[in-house]
Amino acid sequence: MASIFTRLINGEIKGEIVHQDEHCAVLKDIHPQAPVHLLVVPKKEIQSLGTARLEDQLLLGHLLLTAAQVAREQGFDETGYRVVINYGEDGGMTVPHLHLHVLAGRPLTWPPG
């Protein structure tokens, strides 16, 4: 069965897509943890960063560059943002489909969590 992200990208489930290209989509998170909380999701279903393969190298770089592009386009690159990839239960991963969280719109403290 397709992941919830694939179903969102395919329009099977309602969601807000703010950017899309041939490799990925950027979605608004339905449970935002900051005023801006976007998810950069590859269209290829990769379960997690730990299951990515060498053949996914260009795609992984594309996801990071897309996060930066959307930050510029949405205007929060000047004040700053955070990009996070959760991995595993202890890392906070809840959907088994690799995705990047892009958080912005308020000061983000360190350490997180």
Side-chain angles (χ1 to χ4, degrees):
M1 178 182 222
S3 79
I4 190 168
F5 292 146
T6 297
R7 293 170 60 208
L8 281 162
I9 292 167
N10 292 339
E12 299 169 29
I13 300 173
K14 185 177 171 128
E16 190 170 347
I17 297 174
V18 299
H19 170 89
Q20 190 164 195
D21 61 37
E22 64 185 286
H23 302 292
C24 68
V26 180
L27 315 165
K28 285 193 174 184
D29 194 297
I30 60 171
H31 299 295
Q33 301 300 305
V36 176
H37 188 166
L38 304 174
L39 304 174
V40 182
V41 182
K43 290 183 176 179
K44 178 181 179 182
E45 287 193 26
I46 301 170
Q47 184 176 0
S48 67
L49 188 59
T51 62
R53 301 175 142 327
L54 186 58
E55 66 199 43
D56 299 317
Q57 182 172 324
L58 291 175
L59 175 59
L60 297 175
H62 180 78
L63 299 176
L64 288 169
L65 292 173
T66 299
Q69 174 188 339
V70 170
R72 281 190 304 277
E73 291 172 355
Q74 300 232 341
F76 57 84
D77 63 318
E78 292 184 23
T79 56
Y81 57 95
R82 181 173 291 162
V83 178
V84 176
I85 300 173
N86 296 333
Y87 177 77
E89 186 177 338
D90 284 352
M93 187 173 198
T94 58
V95 177
H97 184 146
L98 175 69
H99 56 285
L100 285 63
H101 296 262
V102 181
L103 303 147
R106 68 170 169 81
L108 300 166
T109 60
W110 195 263

